[in-house]
Amino acid sequence: MFKQLAVAPFTLGAFALSQIVMPAHAAALMGFEDSAMLMTEIGRYNQEWMLNYSPALGHAIGVEQMRMSGKGEQATTISGINYTGLIKRWNLPSAQANVWFNGSVGDARGQYDGFAYTPSLQFDMESTRLYFLAKARMIRAPNMNYDTAAVQAGFSFYEAGFNQTQPWFVIEAKTMRNNDPGLQITPALRLINKHYFLEFGVTNPWQGEGFAPRLNAMFVF
């Protein structure tokens, strides 16, 4: 059973991260207090999933696994323990902005082996119609550097009620060191509901046979 969310619009338009009026539909990295959240990204260039639990407002702990490969390399899989923390939140008259810390420590296996760590900082801002996100993430293991940086921007097609699904158009520009392609541009359609987040996109669609479908999903329960 899904638990009732507080009224408010995850950016990753309707995830309530706290008992406030404005939620974060498309960018949140955790659910509401005493909830669990499952997130996954499936694409040609990397795959990732994370499951966390939020014991208190602004904090979540869980497990994470990601798989990626550089130019001409075999894939490396990183498995670890993940922590997410809300550093700062601004409740604006008709929007909300947040700064998040997210990171994991664990073990890398594949092309690179050994202790791995993935700290990141994320800033996001969202109203009921507009969305912006900027994120920097270190992805390191012995002799491995897959550091990434990404920006996203988007808009909703129309405002929706708390119990309705809201469609958004989002475009992301992402770079990853030692990856091919180094620049990934992904336009996507995002559907946000108070209980889930689904995103369907295509990375570098102009590359013809080199284009890469991508799916992002999130569920709060």
Side-chain angles (χ1 to χ4, degrees), residues 183-187 202-211:
L183 176 62
Q184 301 172 20
I185 306 295
T186 307
V202 177
T203 299
N204 295 353
W206 61 84
Q207 288 188 337
E209 293 183 359
F211 80 95

Side-chain angles (χ1 to χ4, degrees), residues 151-163:
V151 293
Q152 295 179 358
F155 62 88
S156 65
F157 293 95
Y158 52 82
E159 292 193 18
F162 181 64
N163 292 310

Side-chain angles (χ1 to χ4, degrees), residues 66 68-79 106-116 139-146 177-179:
M66 63 181 72
M68 61 203 70
S69 60
K71 300 176 182 178
E73 298 176 344
Q74 72 175 94
T76 296
T77 299
I78 298 175
S79 305
D107 184 62
R109 286 289 180 264
Q111 179 75 27
Y112 303 99
D113 297 312
F115 175 75
I139 304 177
R140 302 287 185 93
N143 302 311
M144 185 191 82
N145 182 340
Y146 288 159
R177 282 197 173 192
N178 301 308
N179 191 267

